[in-house]
Amino acid sequence: MHSTPVDVSFDRSNRWKAVQSTTNPLPKKMASYKVEQLPSPLSVLGEGPHWDVERQSLYYNDIYGGSIHRYDYAENKTYNATIDGFPVISFIVPVKGNDRHFIIGTDRKVTLVDWDGRSEKATFVRTVGEVESTMKDNRFNDAKVDSKGRFYGGTMRLEAKGDIFEMRLGTFYRFDAKRGDFVTLKKQIGVSNGLCWNEAGNLFYYIDSCDLDVKEYRVDENGDLSGERVVIDFRVNGEKPSFVPDGMTIDANGSLYVATFGGSTVYKVNSKTGKVELEIKLPCEQVTSAAFGGPNLDILYVTTAAKEFKTPQPAPAGALFAVTGLGVKGTPMYSVDLS
């Protein structure tokens, strides 16, 4: 991998120590891993990493930078594009059967765009669907696709409208492409965030950042959820940690990788026991999401943010990072089926 090593000997403040407890002890030994900064712009709020196996590329978006990105593994280069009329982009997912089409999150809409993966401009094609048309202060946040090509995504209150912990106005949805509408899976969501499935596809993991935990659900044939179970709660003795859990991915063994906004860390969590097995430290506080990729699906790509909504963060905040040497492989990610 031809990328630039990063000095990870940054200030390890007490922020991440908030998850230490007798119920969720942190490991005493650290695995040998390497963090590398990849050539990429510094995102305002980098999010939504999606590894495309066929194109050997990582797609991701900058929510408040209003841009979409493609990191090309072979070229070790990131291509960037904007779409006229869409200053906020919540997610990006490739569309099955058309290598130029992607869905993106725009306000409360799922929007289809055309992009060659290299040009500085992508173009609007059509609106796929819309939710919450009367709730102007909401927007889509994180979204992903399961092994059957079904879209899952949720909404949240706009950060500019106040404390996002105050009101739970978001909803979590599955999009039914055959019927062309959205199925409500969960209501009263604070910030709909990290989501992933185990390799078998029968278990689903989900983060509402305002709950400060990770939950597990059983998935039926229709893609509906049941049997809620808390995998890990990041509170200690009822006290909130100094970070919020953000995006998330999973490896082939079922371990979860939880990005911490404000915590400088991706936590590897055993999905069965809820124990933190590894701390992956990043040289910036606002760690937003992660996805496995690379030719062998053994590189953990991590997105970050350069600017919280009040205080800009110093470089390399906002960069795209690659973590190697973890000794595990991820599970494939899937394109959305709009047929």
Side-chain angles (χ1 to χ4, degrees):
M1 174 131 110
H2 18 264
S3 34
T4 307
V6 171
D7 181 5
V8 294
S9 59
F10 54 94
D11 177 22
R12 300 188 180 190
S13 68
N14 288 330
R15 293 175 183 271
W16 60 270
K17 293 181 181 178
V19 297
Q20 294 190 73
S21 69
T22 56
T23 56
N24 291 307
L26 291 173
K28 293 182 179 179
K29 293 183 179 180
M30 301 293 287
S32 176
Y33 62 84
K34 184 179 183 180
V35 177
E36 300 175 295
Q37 181 179 346
L38 300 178
S40 62
L42 297 181
S43 296
V44 177
L45 183 54
E47 270 284 7
H50 178 106
W51 179 257
D52 188 296
V53 174
E54 293 182 1
R55 284 168 274 196
Q56 289 293 292
S57 294
L58 184 85
Y59 293 92
Y60 67 103
N61 56 285
D62 182 351
I63 295 181
Y64 287 114
S67 54
I68 55 177
H69 307 272
R70 181 179 72 89
Y71 170 72
D72 187 303
Y73 176 84
E75 295 182 33
N76 190 39
K77 180 178 180 179
T78 299
Y79 294 89
N80 318 294
T82 57
I83 305 106
D84 290 341
F86 298 106
V88 177
I89 298 173
S90 301
F91 57 80
I92 177 171
V93 179
V95 174
K96 183 179 179 180
N98 189 325
D99 62 8
R100 291 181 60 103
H101 279 186
F102 302 83
I103 55 168
I104 61 172
T106 57
D107 295 324
R108 296 161 308 284
K109 296 178 181 179
V110 175
T111 298
L112 184 67
V113 298
D114 181 277
W115 186 37
D116 62 7
R118 293 179 177 271
S119 302
E120 294 181 358
K121 286 288 184 180
T123 57
F124 170 83
V125 177
R126 65 180 173 90
T127 298
V128 175
E130 181 179 7
V131 299
E132 305 167 14
S133 58
T134 62
M135 300 181 71
K136 305 301 182 184
D137 291 342
N138 274 15
R139 68 166 175 83
F140 264 114
N141 198 42
D142 208 355
K144 286 185 182 175
V145 173
D146 71 2
S147 60
K148 295 183 178 181
R150 298 179 294 208
F151 167 93
Y152 289 71
T155 57
M156 61 174 283
R157 186 186 186 196
L158 291 170
E159 298 92 336
K161 295 300 178 178
D163 185 350
I164 57 177
F165 282 84
E166 286 182 355
M167 301 178 71
R168 293 178 173 270
L169 298 177
T171 301
F172 184 56
Y173 302 95
R174 171 172 54 81
F175 182 70
D176 188 323
K178 292 181 180 179
R179 299 192 311 178
D181 62 8
F182 292 87
V183 178
T184 297
L185 299 177
K186 284 178 66 67
K187 295 182 177 180
Q188 294 182 308
I189 300 297
V191 179
S192 188
N193 237 320
L195 52 159
C196 58
W197 294 260
N198 67 342
E199 194 163 27
N202 64 325
L203 294 176
F204 173 71
Y205 298 92
Y206 180 70
I207 292 172
D208 176 347
S209 291
C210 293
D211 286 345
L212 301 170
D213 62 19
V214 179
K215 293 183 175 74
E216 176 191 85
Y217 299 87
R218 292 190 295 273
V219 185
D220 68 17
E221 283 298 311
N222 294 324
D224 295 328
L225 310 178
S226 63
E228 181 179 291
R229 178 180 76 90
V230 174
V231 175
I232 181 172
D233 189 331
F234 289 103
R235 297 176 187 85
V236 178
N237 298 322
E239 295 294 321
K240 294 180 180 180
S242 298
F243 61 83
V244 295
D246 202 327
M248 176 172 60
T249 192
I250 192 168
D251 68 24
N253 300 320
S255 292
L256 304 171
Y257 295 74
V258 181
T260 60
F261 196 95
S264 305
T265 305
V266 174
Y267 287 111
K268 178 182 179 181
V269 179
N270 186 306
S271 62
K272 294 182 174 63
T273 66
K275 303 297 183 184
V276 175
E277 297 179 333
L278 177 66
E279 314 152 19
I280 302 170
K281 306 302 291 185
L282 279 294
C284 48
E285 288 187 7
Q286 296 166 178
V287 185
T288 57
S289 195
F292 279 98
N296 300 311
L297 290 180
D298 59 354
I299 301 168
L300 186 69
Y301 292 101
V302 180
T303 54
T304 64
K307 185 178 181 182
E308 198 172 0
F309 304 100
K310 293 181 181 178
T311 309
Q313 300 289 311
L320 175 66
F321 296 93
V323 183
T324 53
L326 293 171
V328 296
K329 292 186 177 182
T331 60
M333 299 186 77
Y334 300 96
S335 299
V336 64
D337 188 351
L338 298 180
S339 61

Short mmCIF file of all heavy atoms in Angstrom, two decimals, residues 235-271:
data_model
loop_
_atom_site.label_atom_id
_atom_site.label_comp_id
_atom_site.label_asym_id
_atom_site.label_seq_id
_atom_site.Cartn_x
_atom_site.Cartn_y
_atom_site.Cartn_z
N ARG A 235 -21.95 4.23 28.38
CA ARG A 235 -22.04 4.95 29.65
C ARG A 235 -21.28 4.17 30.73
O ARG A 235 -21.20 2.95 30.68
CB ARG A 235 -23.49 5.11 30.11
CG ARG A 235 -24.38 5.93 29.18
CD ARG A 235 -25.80 5.91 29.71
NE ARG A 235 -26.73 6.54 28.80
CZ ARG A 235 -27.32 5.92 27.77
NH1 ARG A 235 -27.04 4.65 27.53
NH2 ARG A 235 -28.17 6.56 26.99
N VAL A 236 -20.76 4.90 31.70
CA VAL A 236 -20.11 4.27 32.84
C VAL A 236 -20.82 4.75 34.10
O VAL A 236 -20.85 5.95 34.39
CB VAL A 236 -18.61 4.65 32.90
CG1 VAL A 236 -17.97 4.00 34.13
CG2 VAL A 236 -17.90 4.18 31.63
N ASN A 237 -21.42 3.80 34.78
CA ASN A 237 -22.21 4.14 35.99
C ASN A 237 -23.24 5.22 35.70
O ASN A 237 -23.48 6.12 36.50
CB ASN A 237 -21.28 4.59 37.13
CG ASN A 237 -20.32 3.49 37.54
OD1 ASN A 237 -20.68 2.32 37.57
ND2 ASN A 237 -19.08 3.87 37.84
N GLY A 238 -23.84 5.12 34.52
CA GLY A 238 -24.89 6.06 34.14
C GLY A 238 -24.39 7.38 33.58
O GLY A 238 -25.19 8.21 33.14
N GLU A 239 -23.09 7.60 33.60
CA GLU A 239 -22.51 8.87 33.13
C GLU A 239 -22.16 8.78 31.64
O GLU A 239 -21.62 7.78 31.18
CB GLU A 239 -21.25 9.21 33.93
CG GLU A 239 -21.51 9.48 35.41
CD GLU A 239 -22.34 10.74 35.61
OE1 GLU A 239 -22.12 11.72 34.88
OE2 GLU A 239 -23.23 10.72 36.50
N LYS A 240 -22.46 9.85 30.91
CA LYS A 240 -22.14 9.90 29.49
C LYS A 240 -20.64 9.97 29.27
O LYS A 240 -19.94 10.65 30.01
CB LYS A 240 -22.79 11.12 28.84
CG LYS A 240 -24.31 11.09 28.80
CD LYS A 240 -24.83 12.34 28.12
CE LYS A 240 -26.35 12.35 28.07
NZ LYS A 240 -26.87 13.58 27.42
N PRO A 241 -20.12 9.28 28.25
CA PRO A 241 -18.71 9.45 27.89
C PRO A 241 -18.52 10.79 27.19
O PRO A 241 -19.49 11.49 26.89
CB PRO A 241 -18.45 8.29 26.93
CG PRO A 241 -19.78 8.03 26.31
CD PRO A 241 -20.81 8.31 27.38
N SER A 242 -17.28 11.15 26.94
CA SER A 242 -16.97 12.43 26.29
C SER A 242 -16.99 12.33 24.78
O SER A 242 -16.51 13.22 24.08
CB SER A 242 -15.60 12.92 26.75
OG SER A 242 -15.60 13.15 28.13
N PHE A 243 -17.55 11.24 24.25
CA PHE A 243 -17.69 11.06 22.80
C PHE A 243 -19.08 10.50 22.54
O PHE A 243 -19.82 10.15 23.47
CB PHE A 243 -16.63 10.09 22.26
CG PHE A 243 -16.71 8.71 22.86
CD1 PHE A 243 -17.60 7.76 22.36
CD2 PHE A 243 -15.90 8.35 23.93
CE1 PHE A 243 -17.70 6.50 22.91
CE2 PHE A 243 -15.99 7.08 24.49
CZ PHE A 243 -16.88 6.15 23.98
N VAL A 244 -19.46 10.43 21.26
CA VAL A 244 -20.66 9.70 20.89
C VAL A 244 -20.28 8.63 19.87
O VAL A 244 -19.41 8.87 19.02
CB VAL A 244 -21.76 10.61 20.30
CG1 VAL A 244 -22.26 11.60 21.34
CG2 VAL A 244 -21.28 11.35 19.06
N PRO A 245 -20.88 7.45 19.96
CA PRO A 245 -20.63 6.43 18.93
C PRO A 245 -21.23 6.90 17.61
O PRO A 245 -22.33 7.45 17.58
CB PRO A 245 -21.35 5.19 19.47
CG PRO A 245 -22.40 5.72 20.41
CD PRO A 245 -21.82 6.98 20.99
N ASP A 246 -20.49 6.71 16.53
CA ASP A 246 -20.89 7.25 15.23
C ASP A 246 -21.08 6.10 14.24
O ASP A 246 -21.91 5.23 14.45
CB ASP A 246 -19.83 8.26 14.78
CG ASP A 246 -20.34 9.25 13.75
OD1 ASP A 246 -21.19 8.88 12.93
OD2 ASP A 246 -19.87 10.40 13.73
N GLY A 247 -20.29 6.07 13.17
CA GLY A 247 -20.41 5.01 12.18
C GLY A 247 -19.84 3.70 12.67
O GLY A 247 -19.14 3.64 13.69
N MET A 248 -20.10 2.63 11.91
CA MET A 248 -19.71 1.30 12.37
C MET A 248 -19.59 0.35 11.19
O MET A 248 -20.26 0.48 10.19
CB MET A 248 -20.77 0.79 13.36
CG MET A 248 -20.58 -0.62 13.87
SD MET A 248 -21.76 -1.03 15.21
CE MET A 248 -23.33 -0.80 14.37
N THR A 249 -18.70 -0.64 11.36
CA THR A 249 -18.62 -1.74 10.40
C THR A 249 -18.37 -3.03 11.17
O THR A 249 -18.31 -3.04 12.40
CB THR A 249 -17.53 -1.48 9.34
OG1 THR A 249 -17.68 -2.42 8.28
CG2 THR A 249 -16.12 -1.60 9.91
N ILE A 250 -18.22 -4.14 10.43
CA ILE A 250 -18.12 -5.46 11.05
C ILE A 250 -17.09 -6.29 10.30
O ILE A 250 -16.89 -6.09 9.09
CB ILE A 250 -19.51 -6.14 11.03
CG1 ILE A 250 -19.54 -7.39 11.91
CG2 ILE A 250 -19.94 -6.46 9.61
CD1 ILE A 250 -20.96 -7.93 12.15
N ASP A 251 -16.41 -7.21 11.00
CA ASP A 251 -15.49 -8.11 10.30
C ASP A 251 -16.14 -9.48 10.13
O ASP A 251 -17.26 -9.74 10.61
CB ASP A 251 -14.13 -8.18 10.99
CG ASP A 251 -14.16 -8.85 12.37
OD1 ASP A 251 -15.07 -9.66 12.64
OD2 ASP A 251 -13.25 -8.56 13.18
N ALA A 252 -15.44 -10.38 9.43
CA ALA A 252 -16.01 -11.69 9.11
C ALA A 252 -16.22 -12.55 10.34
O ALA A 252 -16.97 -13.53 10.29
CB ALA A 252 -15.12 -12.40 8.10
N ASN A 253 -15.57 -12.20 11.45
CA ASN A 253 -15.75 -12.94 12.70
C ASN A 253 -16.90 -12.40 13.54
O ASN A 253 -17.20 -12.95 14.61
CB ASN A 253 -14.46 -12.88 13.53
CG ASN A 253 -13.28 -13.49 12.80
OD1 ASN A 253 -13.42 -14.52 12.13
ND2 ASN A 253 -12.12 -12.86 12.90
N GLY A 254 -17.50 -11.32 13.09
CA GLY A 254 -18.62 -10.74 13.82
C GLY A 254 -18.25 -9.65 14.79
O GLY A 254 -19.12 -9.15 15.52
N SER A 255 -16.97 -9.25 14.83
CA SER A 255 -16.58 -8.15 15.71
C SER A 255 -16.97 -6.82 15.08
O SER A 255 -16.85 -6.64 13.86
CB SER A 255 -15.07 -8.17 15.98
OG SER A 255 -14.73 -9.30 16.76
N LEU A 256 -17.42 -5.89 15.90
CA LEU A 256 -17.87 -4.58 15.45
C LEU A 256 -16.77 -3.55 15.61
O LEU A 256 -15.97 -3.63 16.55
CB LEU A 256 -19.10 -4.15 16.25
CG LEU A 256 -20.27 -5.12 16.24
CD1 LEU A 256 -21.33 -4.68 17.24
CD2 LEU A 256 -20.87 -5.23 14.84
N TYR A 257 -16.73 -2.56 14.72
CA TYR A 257 -15.73 -1.49 14.76
C TYR A 257 -16.51 -0.17 14.83
O TYR A 257 -17.12 0.24 13.85
CB TYR A 257 -14.82 -1.56 13.54
CG TYR A 257 -13.99 -2.82 13.53
CD1 TYR A 257 -14.58 -4.05 13.20
CD2 TYR A 257 -12.66 -2.82 13.91
CE1 TYR A 257 -13.85 -5.23 13.24
CE2 TYR A 257 -11.92 -4.00 13.94
CZ TYR A 257 -12.53 -5.19 13.61
OH TYR A 257 -11.81 -6.37 13.65
N VAL A 258 -16.49 0.45 16.00
CA VAL A 258 -17.33 1.60 16.29
C VAL A 258 -16.47 2.86 16.30
O VAL A 258 -15.55 3.00 17.12
CB VAL A 258 -18.04 1.44 17.63
CG1 VAL A 258 -18.93 2.65 17.92
CG2 VAL A 258 -18.86 0.16 17.66
N ALA A 259 -16.78 3.81 15.40
CA ALA A 259 -16.08 5.09 15.36
C ALA A 259 -16.64 5.99 16.45
O ALA A 259 -17.84 5.98 16.73
CB ALA A 259 -16.26 5.74 13.99
N THR A 260 -15.77 6.78 17.07
CA THR A 260 -16.19 7.66 18.17
C THR A 260 -15.96 9.11 17.80
O THR A 260 -14.82 9.54 17.61
CB THR A 260 -15.44 7.33 19.47
OG1 THR A 260 -14.03 7.50 19.26
CG2 THR A 260 -15.71 5.90 19.90
N PHE A 261 -17.03 9.86 17.68
CA PHE A 261 -16.93 11.29 17.39
C PHE A 261 -16.56 12.00 18.70
O PHE A 261 -17.34 12.03 19.64
CB PHE A 261 -18.26 11.82 16.86
CG PHE A 261 -18.15 13.15 16.20
CD1 PHE A 261 -18.00 13.25 14.83
CD2 PHE A 261 -18.20 14.32 16.95
CE1 PHE A 261 -17.90 14.50 14.21
CE2 PHE A 261 -18.10 15.57 16.35
CZ PHE A 261 -17.94 15.66 14.97
N GLY A 262 -15.35 12.54 18.73
CA GLY A 262 -14.83 13.15 19.95
C GLY A 262 -13.96 12.23 20.77
O GLY A 262 -13.48 12.63 21.82
N GLY A 263 -13.70 11.02 20.27
CA GLY A 263 -12.96 10.04 21.05
C GLY A 263 -11.64 9.58 20.47
O GLY A 263 -10.93 8.80 21.10
N SER A 264 -11.28 10.03 19.25
CA SER A 264 -9.99 9.69 18.63
C SER A 264 -9.77 8.20 18.45
O SER A 264 -8.64 7.75 18.35
CB SER A 264 -8.82 10.27 19.45
OG SER A 264 -8.97 11.65 19.64
N THR A 265 -10.86 7.43 18.43
CA THR A 265 -10.72 5.98 18.51
C THR A 265 -11.77 5.26 17.68
O THR A 265 -12.90 5.73 17.55
CB THR A 265 -10.88 5.52 19.98
OG1 THR A 265 -9.96 6.22 20.80
CG2 THR A 265 -10.63 4.03 20.13
N VAL A 266 -11.38 4.11 17.12
CA VAL A 266 -12.34 3.11 16.66
C VAL A 266 -12.22 1.95 17.64
O VAL A 266 -11.14 1.41 17.85
CB VAL A 266 -12.04 2.63 15.23
CG1 VAL A 266 -12.98 1.49 14.85
CG2 VAL A 266 -12.16 3.77 14.24
N TYR A 267 -13.33 1.59 18.27
CA TYR A 267 -13.33 0.47 19.22
C TYR A 267 -13.74 -0.81 18.51
O TYR A 267 -14.78 -0.85 17.83
CB TYR A 267 -14.30 0.73 20.37
CG TYR A 267 -13.82 1.75 21.35
CD1 TYR A 267 -14.43 3.00 21.45
CD2 TYR A 267 -12.74 1.48 22.19
CE1 TYR A 267 -13.98 3.95 22.34
CE2 TYR A 267 -12.28 2.43 23.08
CZ TYR A 267 -12.90 3.65 23.16
OH TYR A 267 -12.45 4.59 24.04
N LYS A 268 -12.93 -1.85 18.69
CA LYS A 268 -13.31 -3.19 18.23
C LYS A 268 -14.06 -3.86 19.37
O LYS A 268 -13.54 -4.03 20.48
CB LYS A 268 -12.07 -4.01 17.87
CG LYS A 268 -12.40 -5.43 17.42
CD LYS A 268 -11.12 -6.22 17.11
CE LYS A 268 -11.45 -7.65 16.70
NZ LYS A 268 -10.21 -8.44 16.41
N VAL A 269 -15.32 -4.23 19.10
CA VAL A 269 -16.20 -4.75 20.14
C VAL A 269 -16.65 -6.16 19.78
O VAL A 269 -17.11 -6.41 18.66
CB VAL A 269 -17.43 -3.85 20.32
CG1 VAL A 269 -18.37 -4.41 21.38
CG2 VAL A 269 -17.02 -2.42 20.67
N ASN A 270 -16.53 -7.09 20.71
CA ASN A 270 -17.05 -8.44 20.53
C ASN A 270 -18.57 -8.37 20.55
O ASN A 270 -19.16 -7.97 21.55
CB ASN A 270 -16.54 -9.35 21.65
CG ASN A 270 -16.92 -10.80 21.44
OD1 ASN A 270 -18.09 -11.13 21.25
ND2 ASN A 270 -15.94 -11.69 21.50
N SER A 271 -19.21 -8.74 19.44
CA SER A 271 -20.66 -8.56 19.33
C SER A 271 -21.44 -9.52 20.22
O SER A 271 -22.62 -9.29 20.49
CB SER A 271 -21.11 -8.71 17.88
OG SER A 271 -20.82 -10.01 17.39
#
